[in-house]
Amino acid sequence: MAGSIFGKHFQISTWGESHGSALGVVIDGCPAGIEISKEDIQKDLDRRRPGKSPFSSPRKEKDEVEILSGVFEGKTTGTPISLIVYNTNQRSYDYSEISKLYRPGHADFTYDQKYGFRDYRGGGRSSGRETTARVAAGAIAKKILKEFNVDITAYTLSIGPIEIDKSKFDKKEILNNYLAMPDKDAAQAAADYLQKQMEKEDSSGGIIECVVTGLPSGVGEPVFEKLDAMLAKGIFSIGAVKGLEFGIGFEAAKKTGWENNDFFRYDEEGKITKLTNHAGGISGGISDGFPIVFRTAIKPTPSIHRMQQTINKNGQNVDIQVEGRHDPIIVPRAVIVVEAMTALTLVDYLFQRIFSRIDLIKKALQ
Amino acid sequence: MAGSIFGKHFQISTWGESHGSALGVVIDGCPAGIEISKEDIQKDLDRRRPGKSPFSSPRKEKDEVEILSGVFEGKTTGTPISLIVYNTNQRSYDYSEISKLYRPGHADFTYDQKYGFRDYRGGGRSSGRETTARVAAGAIAKKILKEFNVDITAYTLSIGPIEIDKSKFDKKEILNNYLAMPDKDAAQAAADYLQKQMEKEDSSGGIIECVVTGLPSGVGEPVFEKLDAMLAKGIFSIGAVKGLEFGIGFEAAKKTGWENNDFFRYDEEGKITKLTNHAGGISGGISDGFPIVFRTAIKPTPSIHRMQQTINKNGQNVDIQVEGRHDPIIVPRAVIVVEAMTALTLVDYLFQRIFSRIDLIKKALQ
Amino acid sequence: MAGSIFGKHFQISTWGESHGSALGVVIDGCPAGIEISKEDIQKDLDRRRPGKSPFSSPRKEKDEVEILSGVFEGKTTGTPISLIVYNTNQRSYDYSEISKLYRPGHADFTYDQKYGFRDYRGGGRSSGRETTARVAAGAIAKKILKEFNVDITAYTLSIGPIEIDKSKFDKKEILNNYLAMPDKDAAQAAADYLQKQMEKEDSSGGIIECVVTGLPSGVGEPVFEKLDAMLAKGIFSIGAVKGLEFGIGFEAAKKTGWENNDFFRYDEEGKITKLTNHAGGISGGISDGFPIVFRTAIKPTPSIHRMQQTINKNGQNVDIQVEGRHDPIIVPRAVIVVEAMTALTLVDYLFQRIFSRIDLIKKALQ
Amino acid sequence: MAGSIFGKHFQISTWGESHGSALGVVIDGCPAGIEISKEDIQKDLDRRRPGKSPFSSPRKEKDEVEILSGVFEGKTTGTPISLIVYNTNQRSYDYSEISKLYRPGHADFTYDQKYGFRDYRGGGRSSGRETTARVAAGAIAKKILKEFNVDITAYTLSIGPIEIDKSKFDKKEILNNYLAMPDKDAAQAAADYLQKQMEKEDSSGGIIECVVTGLPSGVGEPVFEKLDAMLAKGIFSIGAVKGLEFGIGFEAAKKTGWENNDFFRYDEEGKITKLTNHAGGISGGISDGFPIVFRTAIKPTPSIHRMQQTINKNGQNVDIQVEGRHDPIIVPRAVIVVEAMTALTLVDYLFQRIFSRIDLIKKALQ
């Protein structure tokens, strides 16, 4: 109920603070019989790990995962999988000042308002470091989806004013450049732009796009658990997200019905196709078998060294320069978090699809 | 699990199809001691009701609500409240053709894919008529929120290319014009624009903005049940929604941290204020006491009389002109649905706030 | 959260009071494609219905069910099924006195303590009449189970001191005599015993036994959702239940391990069998493929005309003779309620079994 | 959904196997501001710990708990509390034989049936060692309840044929003797009885009684989440439980209404009292302010060295003598587990009570 549990069937329970001894996740509801190794998980954690790029925090963390339960002789047993990542580089920083201030754009103020006090070391539970646990669980969800040929690819669409040129889309580039952009030239331009922000001790926002292929039709529940609604819950649960749109999204508000509707056609082989995918692969909250496409706006890193105005707990207006090790941009490291939340949502509703029809249930049980 | 239940504390279970005998909702978890009358609910249902404007479906429904349980001597008893609205104007229409076609932009295709068959009369459960039940439950949620001085106001921000001029914002106009626009002139321009679409047998999309005032700080749960995440689930569960943004939303992706951060200041009376509200009243998933602001993109009505391309179940490509009684625009009638989903979400997380702190729990129980 | 919703997959939401206009249930999560008619449900409602026997309340209710949604052309559509039963015989009784008293053995006192006031007409929501909705939903659950060859049979094991002789067990008798006893002679002796209690204006308790056959092994989740734990939740949710035991139950406390353990053997055909079924078909919370057997103790009807002591709200000790139309025994009418709660629980965990293994999920989805 | 998560508000997610590297629990929903130390938890773990008595397994485990998150400067922060207990004495035992057999009375067979294979080392997840995590979480729940003056006391009522004499009830004895019996003489007689069973390489069952005092009235939700129903779910989720009864329990089945009903009276000081507590402190599923009393039957330890019959996976009937380190009786170590499950249930429904009434909610939030 307090919001650190996510999911219905593949249910994850995350825990841990930025500067505690460890972070982790317990997965309840991973079916038995799936081959899982540490490497399956580490691969995704390494994509999120800080300290690898000029555009990410220099905090040195290996983010090495350990599997504490639920896997026996290389396969999931059907019982809870406990994953742990120890924090090894909590800098012995002096937090006495920051503990009395509210950093602009951070959750310092709202945590104090909610709980009466807060773990101020590195943002405590509100730190982006919390997403480590999500990425670890998401890696297992992605492995399951792969068994059903569902593929999730997220990437940086834009950083500040720099956007990729879709005609140059190159999937390999996503893992090749520091900014997770599938367009080498845009990545270079964005790097230059970021360099300038860093010189001004400032940061930048950006947009992540995510495309899901291979998802069968019929996934998502009508009314309150529409597939887009559940993805929206998952994506907006990522700290820095400020907007989300599916298919042509906000553009649809300016279109007419005739312009916006996707027309069905049988292709030459008699297969059902659509002439467009404005809807982004979801109709009435249910997947239609075409690619799921969405974009999400990520705000600029709130921690900047540039002088800002704020208040302290003693009733004073003060100026603040946020010290510490910060990313000038959240977007590239958030790409894998978007994939993780997408995977965690999809695995749930893919499984849930079975319960729509008594014939599918019978197929499974007989 | 099948998605027609919404909420944690104030939990609603909706049912009913467009052309069934009735629609309704059961509310479990409405606290005892709240004065509720039929009129409290009818007021909001009347805002959603069809047949009142040149821009809404001419289907004649009084949408009269009955309270079947849970209210005794004018007050809620703490037990489930069952609300029912009978369908009185299900036109005896010939559905034989439509039952074999997939209307573009509708859930006909995905329902068939999911369930193997569908109730094709008026869209069955996927009809916008399903939101009747949400509005009825939302009216009670709004009444509860009012006891805590929380006010929710949604309105039409834009229709197609016509947007309101915020300098002319006039709250009274929302209930005054057919299009729920708080700007008389924009409403007139939008009416003209819609008239043109109707002549072309087409429809239009638009944007709804929603502002919540009076919500205390500390509402929303960290990590997966952030207030924005849960509102996003609620808003994207409305059929026609294609995008959602909080505060400056997608604009944040182009900003720098210094531009985007809201700076705190004590005002002259020593009250905490923010110089801007770019975040839209939520930080780290928790309300900060400033207005919650979000905008949501609504797609154009998919049902249009203009000729469209589609397929039938016999493997044929066909043309279709959707007959029936349709709105040329969903937006004005969706405004109250946005308010309802917002209220249903907020009442849950306002209540949930108590459990953040043992001192609040003690205040209640001692 | 307020407890009128039951289940995970096949989720029911019940509502209604003894003397309101109607009672009902909404089922969310019934898979599409199941043939359901009013008669399927009415059959079980008729077993619960009052007024049929000298040992049940003379309240005249036809308890006729209507299906308001979720069934189209005779089959479930996968969307919520709303069932309603109108109250037709709420006697215009004078409740002015009873509204100020606390009837012994009733929930009058605890409802007032919890909610601050109560609907005192016929016990309001705490009335046994609430189980009408459970039986209606249970009938559909039983129909689903039947498709998997799962059979649930509950019956009266004892009334007061009169117990059935298992050597005379005759299943047909359950529906044949007024007391749902599968032993004609015991039923006669129990009728005589009840007659005597009625003459003394008193009532009697009894025990219901329930046997489930055909349930495959592997049903039930380890740790907190053991099959016996979930059945226990369901059975203890029936108002009058005071005890529950599986297999040999409390007898196990006096046994040694050697006496209590069920020994496995292959039978002559190589089929796995057990020499005994002391465990009642559940081991480690998971069904073992042998019959599920449990017994539940039902307290005597608390409403009796015999003079009792109690208090009123004015601080006075008073005497009370409970007026009205009461059953001298709850047991026979509770038999079908026990079947309903068992069915509702089993359908959930039978479905849930699919998620234990990735191979079963694949069978369903591929 | 897979059953290793328990609770609504104070929600626990447990993980770990008997012979894995560690066991643990994540608590989501513990309110902020509660003082918690390692010692608060260790105290209860020590009551469950093996190796302390001639009647418990000689497995040497210190069962030392570590707090990994959620506590800052000695107080809970409102974010998830992760507790871990490392396994240090997993004996390097040869499991090759046991992996192919089904031990009678164990979950070996049902786990294989459910999951297709099992972690056979020490019973894996089905081991009683899993309860370590429950006891750790329960210790925190008990600490919270203490702030509301709710006290839970469980003890051994009987072992095999030996029952305590209630006239000699001595609470101190519960922690004083090896068998958790509040009657020194009965404890001695039971020890003698157990000694005899051990000589026969057999084991014994018994009964645990639990009494809760200080719980206010109004706790528990009507219909499906009655307080007794939720306690039943919690208690039956303990592996060895075979029966449960509240108040006079199964005795009620033989009583008349007049005998069974608890009569209310005002005492000399005008305080409401009951002449009896046959109901065990719960009426209509809601606490009445009088002590909650229940008894639960615990089966004999299934692991016995005495020769038993069983089957192996190769289709053969075989004899088995279960090797290893086993308790001849589960009861004394289960006493603290019963307390833990009771505490976990009560803290949830005590908190939930706030939501019954709008005035309580207002008290908390204003």
Side-chain angles (χ1 to χ4, degrees), chain C residues 244-350:
Chain C
L244 176 67
E245 57 180 11
F246 287 85
I248 61 166
F250 274 88
E251 276 307 297
K254 295 190 178 150
K255 299 284 187 198
T256 73
W258 197 86
E259 291 164 351
N260 182 61
N261 284 345
D262 294 321
F263 297 163
F264 291 105
R265 289 278 101 172
Y266 288 107
D267 69 11
E268 284 160 27
E269 290 159 6
K271 245 187 69 186
I272 291 170
T273 187
K274 297 194 307 183
L275 300 185
T276 51
N277 188 17
H278 297 152
I282 302 176
S283 184
I286 300 168
S287 67
D288 63 9
F290 297 88
I292 310 283
V293 183
F294 62 84
R295 277 170 305 285
T296 181
I298 308 287
K299 73 175 185 180
T301 320
S303 295
I304 51 174
H305 193 251
R306 187 170 167 186
M307 187 74 74
Q308 299 180 88
Q309 301 181 302
T310 193
I311 56 176
N312 67 18
K313 290 183 175 189
N314 303 328
Q316 295 166 311
N317 288 324
V318 293
D319 287 341
I320 181 174
Q321 279 184 301
V322 182
E323 304 292 338
R325 304 163 295 177
H326 308 294
D327 304 61
I329 176 100
I330 293 165
V331 173
R333 291 179 63 203
V335 161
I336 186 69
V337 183
V338 166
E339 288 192 6
M341 293 314 301
T342 303
L344 291 165
T345 303
L346 291 182
V347 83
D348 252 8
Y349 286 88
L350 179 65

Side-chain angles (χ1 to χ4, degrees), chain A residues 309-336:
Chain A
Q309 300 181 301
T310 194
I311 56 174
N312 67 19
K313 291 185 175 185
N314 303 328
Q316 294 166 312
N317 288 324
V318 293
D319 288 339
I320 181 174
Q321 279 184 299
V322 182
E323 305 291 338
R325 304 163 295 179
H326 307 296
D327 305 59
I329 176 98
I330 292 164
V331 173
R333 293 178 63 202
V335 161
I336 186 69

Side-chain angles (χ1 to χ4, degrees), chain B residues 1 4 8 11 28 86, chain C residues 1 4 8 11 28 73 86:
Chain B
M1 293 292 302
S4 284
K8 292 164 71 137
Q11 219 168 1
D28 191 29
Y86 286 96
Chain C
M1 294 290 303
S4 284
K8 291 166 72 136
Q11 218 167 0
D28 191 29
E73 298 179 342
Y86 287 96

